[in-house]
Amino acid sequence: MITKIMKADEPGVVESAAEVIRAGGLVAIPTETVYGLGADGLNESAVAKIFEAKGRPQDNPLILHISDASQLESFCEDVPPVAYELAEQFWPGPLTLVLKCRDNVPKRTTAGLNTVAIRCPDNTITRAIISAAGVPIAAPSGNLSGRPSPTTAQHMIEDMSGRIDLIVDGGSCGIGVESTILDLTVSPPRLLRPGGMPLESLEKIVGHVAVDEALLRPLSAGERPKAPGMKYRHYAPKAPVTVLTGSADKTAVYIAQHAPLGAGVICFDDFSNAFPGRVIQTIGRSGDLLSNAQRVFDALRAFDSTDVMEIYAQCPDETGLGLAVANRLKKAAGFHVISL
Ligand code: TXA
Ligand code: MG
């Protein structure tokens, strides 16, 4: 298959993408978080193609993307009032809600669960594509399964060229980490994945949020997290990663002392000269959590085209967007974390 690439501002892009979706094909769509690999979320065979293109395990459900909060009712039932409050406040935006699903959502999309993850992305072109297609778009992150999520069209080309019909190039993603996933089928609501919407912002509306165990530590054999995707090795470059937490000054000293020459280092811009002889990827200044989020997946990915044998990473504080960035780094490291 030849993968067509269209710029998001090219004439006809919305209609072309919508046509591919309606015909049961696959389109890479830009969102504010990461690129998604989209198909008609109500079409079983189209959804099956997503799993095939990514090499994704069948038991890992997909997020349904809608173009307007009013569509929530079409695919979810027993929607609690707080879901509407969150949608009103944060959609379009980087928040995914897990709700009880209606029978019209295929089992392939939900991986057989009786719940569905749903969000309205903050990207005008992608919402226009959803509207024009007339169906919700099921889309996981567009990476090959296990690889860091794509935040540019170039990343999409690397992973999906020849496997999908169309890539819509919307430039770099503004947030750079995936949406926050909140399960509203339990009380208190449960955070299944930290992401682009800070936990602190959600708690202002829903009160206390329980944090899923799978976010905090590696799972033991046979343990089943609530978000099936959280059990898989993720985001990982080929070389093993060690994450350093603690003050940026301390972690820099540790890395300078322990990282061998030729090792990879993911560091804040302020420390880019602190590791001579190592292969550096910077993720924005220390404390600039949005830059850290925008850069983290590209930094992890970049090492795959080098011959580094191991990677050391400075980790931001776990407040605001930092919780999501730290989670992605720790998952990439298989929770190999040294706290200083
Ligand atoms: O920002 C994002 O959320 C991106 C963009 C493309 O929207 N999408 C994304 O999808 O990150 P994906 O498939 O890479 O991650 C979705 C996660 C998986 O861990 C999956 O297991 C979980 O959401 N999930 C999906 N449906 C669920 C459900 N009904 N209950 C619990 N977890 C669910
Ligand atoms: Mg993903």
Side-chain angles (χ1 to χ4, degrees):
M1 174 189 299
I2 293 178
T3 302
K4 191 170 175 189
I5 300 167
M6 292 181 85
K7 295 271 186 207
D9 56 5
E10 209 171 305
V13 67
V14 169
E15 220 12 80
S16 301
E19 230 164 75
V20 175
I21 295 289
R22 280 196 302 264
L26 299 182
V27 182
I29 47 172
T31 83
E32 78 282 31
T33 58
V34 302
Y35 276 75
L37 179 53
D40 176 350
L42 303 182
N43 175 339
E44 297 252 4
S45 61
V47 169
K49 289 184 197 165
I50 295 179
F51 287 86
E52 197 181 322
K54 275 183 67 92
R56 183 177 176 102
Q58 299 285 342
D59 67 348
N60 196 358
L62 306 177
I63 296 174
L64 266 192
H65 295 70
I66 53 179
S67 56
D68 190 277
S70 61
Q71 294 154 11
L72 202 60
E73 292 284 331
S74 313
F75 310 110
C76 305
E77 58 189 15
D78 299 343
V79 179
V82 73
Y84 295 105
E85 274 175 67
L86 288 167
E88 167 80 29
Q89 190 79 22
F90 297 124
W91 280 358
L95 173 65
T96 295
L97 301 177
V98 172
L99 294 161
K100 195 156 173 242
C101 73
R102 288 192 186 276
D103 291 342
N104 58 348
V105 184
K107 292 288 174 213
R108 273 210 198 256
T109 302
T110 64
L113 298 175
N114 58 4
T115 58
V116 63
I118 193 159
R119 89 175 186 103
C120 180
D122 189 8
N123 182 293
T124 316
I125 293 293
T126 287
R127 284 205 311 281
I129 294 170
I130 299 168
S131 295
V135 289
I137 294 187
S141 51
N143 51 288
L144 284 171
S145 210
R147 291 206 81 200
S149 298
T151 54
T152 64
Q154 187 53 42
H155 295 161
M156 280 306 319
I157 293 168
E158 278 168 29
D159 282 16
M160 289 298 153
S161 190
R163 293 170 179 261
I164 65 176
D165 300 281
L166 174 65
I167 294 173
V168 177
D169 178 354
S172 297
C173 298
I175 294 178
V177 291
E178 303 91 333
S179 60
T180 300
I181 304 181
L182 188 68
D183 184 354
L184 292 178
T185 66
V186 290
S187 181
R190 183 173 294 267
L191 180 72
L192 301 187
R193 179 177 72 183
M197 180 59 62
L199 178 59
E200 295 87 338
S201 310
L202 298 181
E203 286 192 314
K204 281 190 192 135
I205 295 193
V206 305
H208 174 64
V209 170
V211 174
D212 202 65
E213 280 285 294
L215 306 182
L216 307 173
R217 56 174 176 78
L219 294 167
S220 40
E223 212 174 346
R224 295 183 130 260
K226 282 277 292 197
M230 298 306 279
K231 72 171 173 283
Y232 295 106
R233 181 177 146 92
H234 242 110
Y235 313 127
K238 290 169 190 140
V241 181
T242 302
V243 169
L244 289 307
T245 63
S247 78
D249 288 325
K250 275 195 194 162
T251 57
V253 169
Y254 182 96
I255 294 172
Q257 285 173 352
H258 291 82
L261 291 178
V265 175
I266 293 176
C267 68
F268 301 119
D269 292 7
D270 351 6
F271 298 91
S272 59
N273 295 321
F275 316 105
R278 280 68 154 215
V279 181
I280 305 296
Q281 281 292 324
T282 54
I283 54 166
R285 292 190 67 80
S286 165
D288 180 355
L289 296 171
L290 179 57
S291 293
N292 300 162
Q294 287 167 342
R295 287 280 311 135
V296 66
F297 283 132
D298 184 63
L300 286 165
R301 213 169 241 272
F303 288 112
D304 283 348
S305 53
T306 71
D307 53 7
V308 302
M309 303 290 284
E310 53 183 324
I311 300 166
Y312 292 77
Q314 286 189 293
C315 186
D317 290 340
E318 297 194 339
T319 56
L321 267 181
L323 185 64
V325 179
N327 169 266
R328 304 308 186 268
L329 285 171
K330 289 177 184 178
K331 289 205 68 156
F335 286 92
H336 185 232
V337 181
I338 298 174
S339 308
L340 300 172

